[in-house]
Amino acid sequence: MKGPSRREFVKTGGGLLLASMAAPLVAGCSALSTAPSGSSSSGSASLSQKESPMLSALVKQGKLPKLAERLPKTPAIVKPLEQAGLYGGTMRRAITSPTSIIDGYQETGHAGLVEWAQSEIKVIPGLAESWTPTDQGKSWTFHLREGVKWSDGHPFTADDLVFAVQRVFANTTLNPVFPSFMTVNGKPGTIKKLDDLTVRFNFAEPNALFPEFLAFPSDGMQILLAEHYLSQYLPDTTPVDQLTAAAKKAGFQTWNELYLNQSSPWLNPACPQLGAWGVTKAMTGANGQATLERNPYYWKTDDHGRQLPYIDRLQVDLIEDQETLALRISNGEIDWQNQLISFADITTLVNNSKQNGYEVLHWTTDGPWISLYTNQCHADPVMRKLMQDINFRAGLSVAINRKEMNTALMAGQGQYFQPCGISPDPYWEPSFGHTFTEYDVDKANKYLDQAGLSKKDSQGNRLRPDGKPLSLTITTFTYETGANSLDAYQYVVRYWQRVGVPSLISNINEQLWAQRVEANQYDLAGYTVAGLLWEIDPEWYVPVASDCYWAPLFGIWYATNGHSGEEPPPDIKKLQTLYNQMKASVDQKTRLGLGRQILEQHNKNVYIIGTVTQPFFPFIVNSDIINTPKSHIDSFRLGHESVALPEQVAYRHPGKFSS
């Protein structure tokens, strides 16, 4: 896991609930799981075959409208990377948590008003055919494709977008804080329906990055809500007492818990969606496997007018143990995966690839660091003063022997620099990231002495300025960013002990980690950091929300316009001001300058201490699969695997991979 797939959990209301009211994805969907594939087992794709045989069978049975009635007037056209694909097959994938939307659904089931291009970091049309900014980016008008339908056959129109903004985003029970991508300088944006296929988003100030926000799957998918299905779960449509009764009957306590469950396409197969595949069998605590099947109303075709996706089904297994996942991959039992793979397993995976029929591609990683977030708003005043002292952070940083860690954890192939963006990022400068990275125990001791930690106990451990023993806890969870994070933090603990700073690691589950960090109940948070497109996911470098892991209270202060949290000190407030200016700047040169000031402040102050980074990120691809880019940037903001456009990925011999 990397590039913070965890944050989707936070942004959906703090809890993802198991589906207990599951129903078929579309009318007749139960037949989808039993219909024969009918796909050719080998050979070239028949360009005259415009839809999957499994859907043709349903049309003949009268259970599904003809293809012409299911496609929009002007479908989005995707040119396959290598060649047109055959229909059929079941792609095998894996996740490590049953409630992970990003790993389980978003990467292969995403859709957006706009999307990222496959070959470059560029926003291109999606469900919207075009968009136009006016008034220096204060207004954005989007024109939707005519005839797009939800997976249950109901039309997708401007009403669905209005519903999302006016009835869901504005509902303070569901969203105590208005979504950040719809907010500028603390002022929520609005939406106006111009006609059934046209909407206009309005902001009090320019929202220059709005299309990029919408291309970011974590933001862009939030606004795609099916009014005809979800409105029944809101109290402005159904009386609260009826909703509460329905919630309790389904095993929930409140109506909003019921809504969260029913609105999740990963947990509730009945929820209409717009992606290439939809869940037909949800993963629950008692079921370690989810099944996704093609969306009969998917709105994209290849360049020969053949409806996508090519692959019929996805099978997603829950594999919580890293060793088991590596074994499954090395045995050729996972077909298409770039998430959750440890760099420590690369040698084994490569050695077994040829005999077990898969390739190991090398993608560039966007969130490469195994890092330490120093809590700038620590609840203990003495510790807060230390965390805010550059000498303290410098001492901790130069005490780390990154060269040794690189040799031990990355076979000497990794790098080490502080989190200040990465080279593909336009805001990055070559001078960034080298502050306090040179291993020097003598300097570490001097920095720590200057931070007011010169006194020690009889064991050589440093005492806090108030005379109490100094100790630090690294609060983390098990994640993979080139190496097992726990192994990396064990090295850090040993290094810090050498300079009189006793430390320990608190390894907890991902959900509890998020809760503790955002509740400001930690010393240092252990996690990775974004390097690319951070301007549309700014919590990494700017406290704009509670999931700014180095300053959560300051992030809450920003997100609530000063009504909650704590007002930050001047240096942190400067970052927030720079980001406000950056977000509102329609001039690219000005925006780049502001972004570089933000990264330069991190370069100078090292609020987040980086350790080592991985040289590349592995992408496992079954040797029978075509149309996967050999290299790309793996990024949470690009949607991880979704940037490869999985809808155009296909098997050469789909009959060999049918469930």
Side-chain angles (χ1 to χ4, degrees):
M1 156 185 182
K2 90 188 146 326
S5 37
R6 181 207 66 79
R7 284 223 307 278
E8 181 66 16
F9 172 87
V10 175
K11 291 181 178 179
T12 52
L16 295 178
L17 305 159
L18 296 178
S20 60
M21 300 177 67
L25 175 68
V26 294
C29 187
S30 58
L32 296 185
S33 60
T34 57
S37 171
S39 302
S40 172
S41 62
S42 63
S44 302
S46 172
L47 300 183
S48 63
Q49 189 180 51
K50 300 300 183 182
E51 66 180 336
S52 168
M54 71 184 292
L55 299 185
S56 297
L58 293 175
V59 172
K60 290 180 181 179
Q61 296 169 22
K63 296 179 179 180
L64 197 66
K66 294 180 180 180
L67 179 61
E69 299 173 34
R70 304 197 313 267
L71 287 175
K73 182 178 180 181
T74 55
I77 298 174
V78 177
K79 184 176 181 179
L81 183 63
E82 298 167 345
Q83 65 185 63
L86 293 167
Y87 287 116
T90 297
M91 178 187 285
R92 298 167 297 176
R93 288 174 49 78
I95 62 172
T96 58
S97 168
T99 56
S100 176
I101 283 183
I102 297 298
D103 295 328
Y105 176 76
Q106 186 167 291
E107 292 156 359
T108 47
H110 82 289
L113 291 179
V114 297
E115 298 181 351
W116 297 114
Q118 184 183 43
S119 58
E120 57 183 319
I121 302 175
K122 175 184 176 182
V123 178
I124 61 172
L127 290 161
E129 287 187 293
S130 64
W131 61 96
T132 306
T134 53
D135 197 12
Q136 294 294 299
K138 288 184 180 180
S139 295
W140 293 85
T141 302
F142 285 78
H143 303 278
L144 308 181
R145 294 183 187 277
E146 182 179 349
V148 172
K149 295 179 176 63
W150 292 93
S151 55
D152 61 359
H154 196 281
F156 166 69
T157 70
D159 291 327
D160 295 305
L161 302 176
V162 172
F163 168 76
V165 176
Q166 295 184 352
R167 296 179 60 190
V168 177
F169 293 175
N171 187 300
T172 55
T173 301
L174 291 173
N175 291 283
V177 177
F178 208 76
S180 60
F181 74 95
M182 281 286 298
T183 304
V184 181
N185 284 348
K187 301 172 184 176
T190 61
I191 188 172
K192 182 178 181 180
K193 173 184 175 181
L194 302 185
D195 59 47
D196 284 347
L197 298 176
T198 312
V199 295
R200 179 171 295 151
F201 295 91
N202 297 301
F203 302 93
E205 299 179 37
N207 192 353
L209 296 170
F210 192 51
E212 286 78 7
F213 279 114
L214 292 178
F216 176 20
S218 185
D219 287 339
M221 287 184 69
Q222 291 186 57
I223 206 167
L224 302 179
L225 300 177
E227 179 188 27
H228 69 281
Y229 177 78
L230 294 174
S231 61
Q232 64 183 308
Y233 299 107
L234 292 181
D236 55 0
T237 298
T238 305
V240 174
D241 57 344
Q242 292 185 29
L243 286 178
T244 302
K248 291 184 177 179
K249 184 177 180 180
F252 306 114
Q253 295 299 312
T254 63
W255 71 265
N256 51 297
E257 289 179 342
L258 177 64
Y259 175 87
L260 288 173
N261 184 83
Q262 296 304 98
S263 65
S264 169
W266 175 241
L267 299 175
N268 176 21
C271 183
Q273 48 84 44
L274 295 162
W277 298 272
V279 173
T280 55
K281 185 180 73 171
M283 184 179 294
T284 67
N287 177 10
Q289 186 181 95
T291 301
L292 293 81
E293 297 187 358
R294 62 167 59 253
N295 176 0
Y297 294 90
Y298 194 51
W299 43 279
K300 293 184 182 181
T301 69
D302 66 14
D303 53 345
H304 296 285
R306 303 168 66 238
Q307 188 187 33
L308 298 173
Y310 292 132
I311 291 175
D312 284 337
R313 299 179 181 87
L314 308 181
Q315 175 184 299
V316 184
D317 288 338
L318 174 62
I319 305 175
E320 296 181 289
D321 178 74
Q322 182 64 39
E323 292 183 4
T324 302
L325 175 60
L327 179 62
R328 291 279 298 275
I329 293 173
S330 63
N331 286 339
E333 299 172 16
I334 301 295
D335 294 327
W336 206 69
Q337 186 97 11
N338 88 326
Q339 289 295 286
L340 316 170
I341 302 171
S342 172
F343 190 77
D345 297 320
I346 291 298
T347 300
T348 300
L349 296 180
V350 170
N351 289 342
N352 285 280
S353 61
K354 188 174 182 179
Q355 67 187 55
N356 288 322
Y358 63 87
E359 297 178 81
V360 182
L361 306 181
H362 292 193
W363 277 29
T364 301
T365 177
D366 164 32
W369 293 277
I370 296 176
S371 297
L372 297 142
Y373 292 79
T374 64
N375 186 358
Q376 296 297 295
C377 48
H378 201 291
D380 183 333
V382 175
M383 290 302 302
R384 178 181 295 204
K385 187 176 180 179
L386 282 174
M387 294 289 181
Q388 293 182 357
D389 190 331
I390 185 64
N391 291 301
F392 181 66
R393 301 194 297 274
L396 295 180
S397 185
V398 300
I400 298 173
N401 188 339
R402 294 171 174 83
K403 183 177 181 179
E404 182 180 74
M405 291 181 68
N406 184 34
T407 300
L409 301 174
M410 304 289 183
Q413 299 181 56
Q415 296 179 301
Y416 37 91
F417 49 96
Q418 306 288 17
C420 300
I422 58 175
S423 57
D425 180 56
Y427 304 97
W428 178 83
E429 293 281 1
S431 60
F432 291 168
H434 306 294
T435 308
F436 308 134
T437 56
E438 184 179 354
Y439 176 58
D440 193 319
V441 174
D442 290 338
K443 281 187 178 181
N445 283 316
K446 289 179 182 178
Y447 282 129
L448 294 171
D449 287 347
Q450 292 171 10
L453 298 170
S454 58
K455 295 182 180 180
K456 301 179 181 179
D457 62 16
S458 60
Q459 303 298 316
N461 293 326
R462 296 179 183 272
L463 300 177
R464 303 182 349 165
D466 59 1
K468 296 180 181 179
L470 174 67
S471 65
L472 298 176
T473 298
I474 301 170
T475 302
T476 188
F477 60 96
T478 303
Y479 66 93
E480 295 293 338
T481 303
N484 185 294
S485 55
L486 295 182
D487 292 342
Y489 294 132
Q490 289 288 359
Y491 275 93
V492 172
V493 167
R494 290 197 290 272
Y495 298 143
W496 286 353
Q497 183 61 63
R498 294 173 188 172
V499 293
V501 181
S503 309
L504 57 87
I505 300 170
S506 175
N507 185 45
I508 54 182
N509 70 55
E510 188 176 351
Q511 180 179 345
L512 183 58
W513 178 87
Q515 292 172 348
R516 286 188 182 176
V517 173
E518 295 184 29
N520 201 41
Q521 299 170 349
Y522 71 104
D523 296 332
L524 298 109
Y527 194 37
T528 186
V529 187
L532 181 72
L533 288 168
W534 58 267
E535 70 271 26
I536 58 172
D537 190 22
E539 295 92 329
W540 309 102
Y541 299 106
V542 185
V544 296
S546 62
D547 54 352
C548 174
Y549 306 132
W550 57 278
L553 294 184
F554 301 153
I556 294 172
W557 180 86
Y558 176 96
T560 61
N561 215 15
H563 295 298
S564 299
E566 291 188 20
E567 184 174 357
D571 63 321
I572 307 300
K573 192 179 291 186
K574 179 183 177 182
L575 291 173
Q576 296 171 335
T577 300
L578 288 170
Y579 183 69
N580 285 342
Q581 296 171 350
M582 179 183 172
K583 189 176 179 180
S585 177
V586 295
D587 179 73
Q588 185 178 19
K589 184 177 180 180
T590 300
R591 190 163 62 246
L592 286 173
L594 293 166
R596 285 169 184 156
Q597 287 186 58
I598 290 173
L599 294 185
E600 172 57 39
Q601 187 166 325
H602 275 270
N603 177 59
K604 178 181 178 181
N605 291 280
V606 190
Y607 304 112
I608 311 167
I609 300 172
T611 61
V612 292
T613 69
Q614 65 192 97
F616 63 87
F617 207 83
F619 196 145
I620 304 300
V621 179
N622 188 301
S623 298
D624 200 74
I625 285 179
I626 58 173
N627 298 337
T628 302
K630 299 301 181 184
S631 63
H632 210 297
I633 298 175
D634 175 74
S635 171
F636 171 59
R637 281 140 295 283
L638 292 175
H640 294 306
E641 289 104 321
S642 71
V643 76
L645 303 186
E647 61 268 21
Q648 56 89 51
V649 169
Y651 288 99
R652 291 185 178 89
H653 306 87
K656 295 181 180 180
F657 299 92
S658 297
S659 57

